[in-house]
């Protein structure tokens, strides 16, 4: 039995050496760089696919459309289990209730004021036995955390933009929009989920009223600041 175990271990080391694949050392035109990095056999091979020092720099100054450094926009992150964002929340605006299915988020405010709300998983209850909602009143230099899969939103209640950074424990953290995804379900499922409190026509009204943007405007703040709604 001992001899068989030793032979098994030796074979486990010998077979890969006998049929060792050729390391990926140059970029293919058929696969994206991100895909090649994920398929690379070792970290050493990944470095060969990133031959330039500039491959290890992500410039947020040139990423205004998508200010997120993840494995698609910054391939050097492949294998690190991390991604990062620098952005701002405009005056009198609120991020749609959302979640990140594959990552915990650390959200840090660098300027302005943001009110954050986060709903943890089921059975996390408050002192009254109801679902707990965690509130955070954030000012510059403060950080809050959103565990993976938790519902959360941020509101900027002031007349100036709030700047923030966010780090994620995944190189591809993804975003789930709670309202949009919920109301994509069939009418019957929604009616039962909400205990029959929605009539069919009401469900369609709600579907039609859900904004397609990640941001919605806070009406009372707009009035306070004298900002027209169309100005985002």
């Amino acid at each position: 039995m001992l001899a068989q175990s030793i032979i098994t271990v030796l074979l486990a080391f010998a077979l890969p050496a006998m049929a060792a694949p050729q390391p990926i050392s140059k970029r293919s035109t058929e696969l994206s760089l991100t895909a090649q990095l994920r398929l690379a056999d070792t970290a050493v091979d990944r470095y060969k696919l990133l031959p330039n020092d500039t491959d290890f720099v992500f410039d947020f100054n040139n990423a205004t459309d998508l200010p997120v450094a993840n494995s698609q926009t910054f391939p050097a992150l492949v294998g690190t289990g991390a991604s990062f964002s620098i952005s701002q929340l405009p005056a009198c605006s609120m991020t749609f209730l959302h979640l990140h299915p594959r990552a915990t988020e650390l959200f840090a405010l660098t300027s302005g004021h943001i009110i954050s709300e986060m709903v943890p998983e089921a059975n996390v209850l408050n002192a009254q036995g109801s679902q707990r909602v965690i509130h955070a009143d954030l000012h510059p230099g403060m950080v809050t955390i959103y565990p993976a899969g938790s519902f959360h939103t941020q509101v900027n209640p002031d007349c100036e933009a709030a700047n923030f950074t966010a780090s994620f424990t995944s190189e591809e953290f993804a975003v789930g929009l709670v309202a949009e995804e919920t109301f994509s379900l069939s009418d019957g499922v929604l009616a039962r989920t909400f205990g029959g409190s929605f009539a069919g026509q009401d469900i369609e009204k709600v579907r039609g009223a859900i904004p397609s943007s990640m941001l919605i405007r806070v009406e009372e703040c707009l009035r306070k600041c004298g900002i027209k709604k169309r100005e985002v």
Side-chain angles (χ1 to χ4, degrees):
M1 183 65 70
L2 178 59
Q4 288 179 337
S5 298
I6 294 173
I7 291 171
T8 301
V9 172
L10 290 174
L11 285 173
F13 282 99
L15 288 176
M18 293 169 58
Q22 293 297 316
I24 301 174
S25 58
K26 62 181 181 178
R27 297 183 181 183
S28 165
T29 57
E30 297 180 0
L31 294 175
S32 69
L33 177 57
T34 300
Q36 293 177 64
L37 288 164
R38 286 180 175 151
L39 290 171
D41 292 312
T42 68
V44 172
D45 291 326
R46 287 199 291 271
Y47 279 102
K48 292 177 182 178
L49 287 165
L50 301 167
N52 304 312
D53 291 350
T54 53
D55 291 330
F56 295 88
V57 176
F58 184 87
D59 188 356
F60 280 100
N61 296 304
N62 297 323
T64 53
D65 292 336
L66 185 63
V68 176
N70 57 25
S71 58
Q72 285 72 50
T73 60
F74 190 26
L77 289 176
V78 170
T80 65
S83 51
F84 193 77
S85 176
I86 297 177
S87 192
Q88 69 173 213
L89 194 57
C92 300
S93 64
M94 167 183 161
T95 60
F96 230 44
L97 186 63
H98 64 284
L99 58 86
H100 304 295
R102 291 188 287 276
T104 290
E105 175 183 0
L106 280 171
F107 182 93
L109 195 62
T110 56
S111 72
H113 177 206
I114 281 180
I115 298 170
S116 162
E117 290 194 7
M118 185 266 287
V119 180
E121 61 192 88
N123 296 320
V124 178
L125 307 178
N126 59 24
Q128 292 73 43
S130 302
Q131 174 68 53
R132 185 177 179 187
V133 179
I134 296 174
H135 302 263
D137 195 350
L138 302 175
H139 295 275
M142 300 175 73
V143 178
T144 191
I145 185 171
Y146 306 121
S150 60
F151 294 173
H152 58 278
T153 184
Q154 300 95 8
V155 179
N156 179 356
D158 289 349
C159 304
E160 297 180 356
N163 294 285
F164 65 88
T165 63
S167 62
F168 302 87
T169 58
S170 169
E171 60 209 47
E172 188 186 1
F173 54 88
V175 176
L177 297 177
V178 177
E180 182 177 334
E181 294 181 18
T182 298
F183 279 87
S184 67
L185 296 168
S186 66
D187 289 1
V189 170
L190 288 170
R192 291 177 179 85
T193 298
F194 289 97
S197 57
F198 276 112
Q201 62 271 24
D202 294 329
I203 291 175
E204 285 305 317
K205 286 181 181 178
V206 174
R207 281 197 182 107
I210 295 174
S212 57
S213 169
M214 270 290 289
L215 292 179
I216 54 179
R217 306 314 302 267
V218 181
E219 298 287 350
E220 57 270 30
C221 179
L222 293 172
R223 289 192 294 270
K224 175 186 74 174
C225 299
I227 301 173
K228 294 181 180 180
K229 190 171 183 178
R230 68 174 180 271
E231 296 176 0
V232 177

